[in-house]
């Protein structure tokens, strides 16, 4: 197993409902370490850029509206197989299909307001991390 980095977002519904600590605890207690974190409020342009891969999808406009509706927390998680581990901890995109005990099963409001985002592959992780963080904003983990 290799050490990886992945981008995680706590979406507006999670921040609004005071779930930041709860969500971060899920990652930390499963062996992922936060090596960069900030709270930001995306502009429309920033949200459109981040989700550009979905721009032809019917839900794109609504997704951008939602992602700009309030602050989010962006964080970089590091650990063994961090990309797949993060996705396991989050659960399926659609909370109705998410496994018991996952963040989305327990906390998501809907398919759109699904509380968290996580990179899906090494290439997207690199792109998504660079979208929000410069290398100097990421600390060297102690573990
Ligand atoms: P996320 O993992 O951030 O990736 C794209 C987001 O679009 C997804 O989570 C949901 O918040 C949102 N979304 C809304 N409708 C859909 C859909 N039908 N399929 C996938 N994602 C959707």
């Amino acid at each position: 197993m290799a050490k990886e980095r992945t981008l995680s977002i706590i979406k507006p519904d999670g921040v609004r409902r005071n779930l930041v600590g709860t969500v971060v605890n899920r990652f930390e207690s499963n062996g992922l370490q936060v090596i960069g974190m900030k709270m930001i409020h995306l502009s429309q342009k920033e949200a459109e850029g981040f989700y550009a891969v979905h721009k032809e999808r019917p839900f794109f406009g609504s997704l951008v509206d939602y992602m700009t509706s309030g602050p989010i927390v962006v964080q970089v998680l590091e650990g063994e197989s961090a990309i797949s581990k993060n996705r396991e901890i989050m659960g399926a995109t659609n909370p109705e299909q998410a496994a018991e005990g996952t963040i989305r099963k327990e906390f998501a409001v809907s398919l759109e307001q699904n509380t968290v985002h996580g990179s899906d592959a090494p290439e997207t992780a690199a792109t998504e991390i660079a979208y929000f963080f410069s290398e100097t904003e990421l600390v060297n983990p102690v573990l």
Side-chain angles (χ1 to χ4, degrees):
M1 283 200 297
K3 229 176 189 192
E4 291 175 337
R5 290 177 174 183
T6 191
L7 183 84
S8 162
I9 300 179
I10 305 174
K11 297 184 178 186
D13 71 275
V15 174
R16 202 171 280 135
R17 290 179 294 147
N18 260 0
L19 291 171
V20 174
T22 302
V23 169
V24 172
N25 180 258
R26 295 293 176 103
F27 299 135
E28 291 185 334
S29 60
N30 281 286
L32 295 176
Q33 188 163 36
V34 179
I35 62 162
M37 176 182 263
K38 49 187 151 184
M39 182 177 276
I40 56 177
H41 195 145
L42 290 176
S43 66
Q44 180 167 338
K45 246 192 164 146
E46 288 168 333
E48 286 173 351
F50 182 75
Y51 279 120
V53 61
H54 295 304
K55 68 174 183 294
E56 305 303 334
R57 309 282 291 271
F59 58 82
F60 182 68
S62 173
L63 175 62
V64 168
D65 284 349
Y66 159 59
M67 288 300 290
T68 56
S69 69
I72 61 172
V73 171
V74 288
Q75 56 193 329
V76 178
L77 305 175
E78 185 171 271
E80 294 296 330
S81 305
I83 297 166
S84 58
K85 193 179 272 187
N86 179 33
R87 293 177 68 76
E88 246 174 65
I89 298 165
M90 290 193 299
T93 305
N94 186 342
E96 285 175 13
Q97 286 154 17
E100 290 297 333
T102 60
I103 293 170
R104 284 166 168 164
K105 180 70 176 183
E106 286 190 31
F107 301 111
V109 177
S110 63
L111 171 56
E112 179 173 81
Q113 298 191 31
N114 60 358
T115 314
V116 281
H117 166 84
S119 311
D120 62 3
E123 304 72 36
T124 41
T127 312
E128 291 182 357
I129 289 169
Y131 197 79
F132 291 113
F133 294 91
S134 65
E135 194 58 37
T136 54
E137 289 176 304
L138 304 176
V139 299
N140 288 316
V142 192
L143 293 179

